[in-house]
Amino acid sequence: MAKFLPFIAAITSLAPGSIAFTALSNNGLTRANDVRLRVKLEGRDIDGVVAPTNNFVLVKVANVEDQTSGGILLTGSAKIKKTEGTVIAIGPGKTHQESGILFPMPVVAGEGVVYGKYDGIEIDYDGAKHTLIRDDDILVKYSGDKLTLESADVVSDNVLVKVENSEEETASGLVIASTAKKGSKPSTGEVVKVGPGRMASNGEIMTVDISVGDMVKFRDFAGNEVKIDGEEYAVVRMTDILAKF
């Protein structure tokens, strides 16, 4: 249940996949990455400075695509929903429950991010769609206005893989791509980007034993698909990589 105080309005939820953020009045202390946000809570307008808490990230969602690259106009449910946007504000990071060490956030305000299709809690801010995601939900981050392979980077122990789309020929001579086969998904490819590694409880970074240029085999359906420059890539956690060659 949300509780309103003269200077602070806190919105929290402890359920799995929940989010939390805090709104402060102009008389309260603010952070450099705070953002003014107006939302409705139980029918009441909140107008103040909002800062994501813990390891949450406030993202302004990119506009929905209503036209294909070939110029075909899309309507209704056919429009392509974006799962990327610009970081507006970040929380301070999460604290390890045992060591008390603060894990720093992997992004800063102004960077672009791509996140999972089903990640985040959407909110409406000033007539534009925003979402609150965890730092763990970030698949790729990038600088500049457009996601390109050059500007893209992965976080934590994630690895960006250029997947191999192998083809098979049927008895009648029809060539079928692996992505078109029922229940099939590419799980082999070349590593093109490597994250810095996951932070241990003592604050040290556990580096990834994978290098750019390595060929890897990862668990079926473990990778999250990302399209960059029209090419198909997969973001894979180090723990899901079975072998390199």
Side-chain angles (χ1 to χ4, degrees), residues 19 37 41 51 61 100 106 111 142 170 173 204 214 229 235 238 242:
I19 55 91
L37 181 67
L41 176 64
V61 181
E111 287 186 312
Y142 62 95
T170 65
E204 295 183 0
D214 286 345
D229 295 332
V235 178
M238 182 61 191
L242 305 176

Side-chain angles (χ1 to χ4, degrees), residues 8-232:
I8 299 177
I11 303 173
T12 61
S13 174
L14 301 180
S18 60
I19 55 91
F21 58 92
T22 303
L24 305 176
S25 74
N26 290 332
N27 295 324
L29 296 176
T30 62
R31 291 165 50 87
N33 59 357
D34 291 344
V35 57
R36 290 197 166 278
L37 181 67
R38 178 173 297 160
V39 295
K40 278 188 177 293
L41 176 64
E42 297 176 348
R44 178 174 177 174
D45 284 328
I46 298 175
D47 188 7
V49 177
V50 173
T53 63
N54 302 314
N55 62 328
F56 288 97
V57 182
L58 180 64
V59 178
K60 183 177 181 180
V61 181
N63 293 330
V64 173
E65 290 185 359
D66 55 7
Q67 183 173 319
T68 67
S69 57
I72 300 176
L73 294 177
L74 304 173
T75 60
S77 60
K79 291 184 179 181
I80 302 173
K81 180 183 176 182
K82 289 280 193 178
T83 55
E84 66 178 87
T86 304
V87 174
I88 302 299
I90 61 173
K94 61 183 176 183
T95 303
H96 192 274
Q97 293 181 347
E98 296 179 1
S99 67
I101 291 177
L102 181 68
F103 289 14
M105 297 294 282
V107 293
V108 297
E111 287 186 312
V113 292
V114 179
Y115 49 92
K117 182 177 181 180
Y118 302 104
D119 294 329
I121 302 296
E122 290 187 351
I123 57 176
D124 185 72
Y125 160 49
D126 198 23
K129 187 178 293 184
H130 289 65
T131 188
L132 281 157
I133 60 174
R134 295 181 185 272
D135 60 348
D136 291 335
D137 298 328
I138 297 172
L139 301 178
V140 175
K141 68 175 183 177
Y142 62 95
S143 56
D145 298 329
K146 186 179 179 181
L147 172 62
T148 64
L149 187 58
E150 183 179 355
S151 66
D153 210 347
V154 284
V155 302
S156 190
D157 61 344
N158 287 335
V159 175
L160 185 65
V161 178
K162 176 68 173 66
V163 295
E164 285 187 337
N165 288 313
S166 58
E167 297 178 336
E168 290 186 4
E169 187 173 328
T170 65
S172 61
L174 179 65
V175 176
I176 302 177
S178 60
T179 52
K181 294 188 296 181
K182 186 176 181 180
S184 177
K185 189 176 181 181
S187 58
T188 304
E190 180 183 357
V191 175
V192 295
K193 299 277 184 174
V194 177
R198 184 169 291 275
M199 183 174 288
S201 60
N202 62 359
E204 295 183 0
I205 296 294
M206 299 181 290
T207 57
V208 178
D209 186 27
I210 294 290
S211 302
V212 172
D214 286 345
M215 296 295 295
V216 293
K217 166 68 178 177
F218 52 92
R219 295 182 187 276
D220 293 341
F221 302 101
N224 288 282
E225 295 179 359
V226 177
K227 277 201 171 183
I228 303 177
D229 295 332
E231 298 286 341
E232 185 178 339

